[in-house]
Amino acid sequence: MAIRLKTCGLSMYRATKEIFSSLLTISSGSLLKRIFMTTSETKKMCEEITYYAGHKLKPDDEYEFKKLYNRIKDDEDLDSLSQKKLEEIYKKYLGK
């Protein structure tokens, strides 16, 4: 999403509001839900996958999980596609 910011304070306010509103999505029950997870949430998910389902992972999922886990260990931020993949693996094997 490309937003051109003008020098006027009002247009910067609108642009900022649009950016932050794009980070939020409306979920069921009219509650606001964040799209991106915090670093501690991703680390917790990885630890749970390793502890409970590490031996059950299929080869493709295991390869993807190891790549993601190494990125998290190195304190790199995950992009939205990587976070979705991590959530898919988590739901698939832990069903939470």
Side-chain angles (χ1 to χ4, degrees), residues 2 18 24 28 39 44 52-53 65 67 69 78 81 91:
E18 186 175 337
L24 298 173
S28 62
T39 308
K44 184 178 177 184
Y52 293 111
F65 175 69
K67 286 194 324 185
Y69 192 57
L78 298 179
L81 294 175
K91 288 177 184 175

Side-chain angles (χ1 to χ4, degrees), residues 55-72:
H55 60 283
K56 297 179 185 177
L57 296 176
K58 293 181 182 176
D60 293 338
D61 292 333
E62 184 178 10
Y63 175 73
E64 287 292 326
F65 175 69
K66 284 184 179 180
K67 286 194 324 185
L68 294 171
Y69 192 57
N70 286 334
R71 286 178 60 187
I72 292 169

Side-chain angles (χ1 to χ4, degrees), residues 14-78:
R14 286 183 184 155
T16 306
K17 185 177 176 184
E18 186 175 337
I19 290 169
F20 284 116
S21 66
S22 68
L23 296 176
L24 298 173
T25 180
I26 303 294
S27 67
S28 62
S30 297
L31 297 176
L32 293 175
K33 179 183 176 185
R34 288 179 298 130
I35 295 173
F36 299 104
M37 296 183 291
T38 62
T39 308
S40 61
E41 290 172 335
T42 56
K43 285 183 179 182
K44 184 178 177 184
M45 284 178 72
C46 286
E47 290 170 359
E48 289 181 2
I49 291 171
T50 304
Y51 184 76
Y52 293 111
H55 60 283
K56 297 179 185 177
L57 296 176
K58 293 181 182 176
D60 293 338
D61 292 333
E62 184 178 10
Y63 175 73
E64 287 292 326
F65 175 69
K66 284 184 179 180
K67 286 194 324 185
L68 294 171
Y69 192 57
N70 286 334
R71 286 178 60 187
I72 292 169
K73 277 198 223 173
D74 293 339
D75 291 328
E76 292 181 28
D77 293 330
L78 298 179

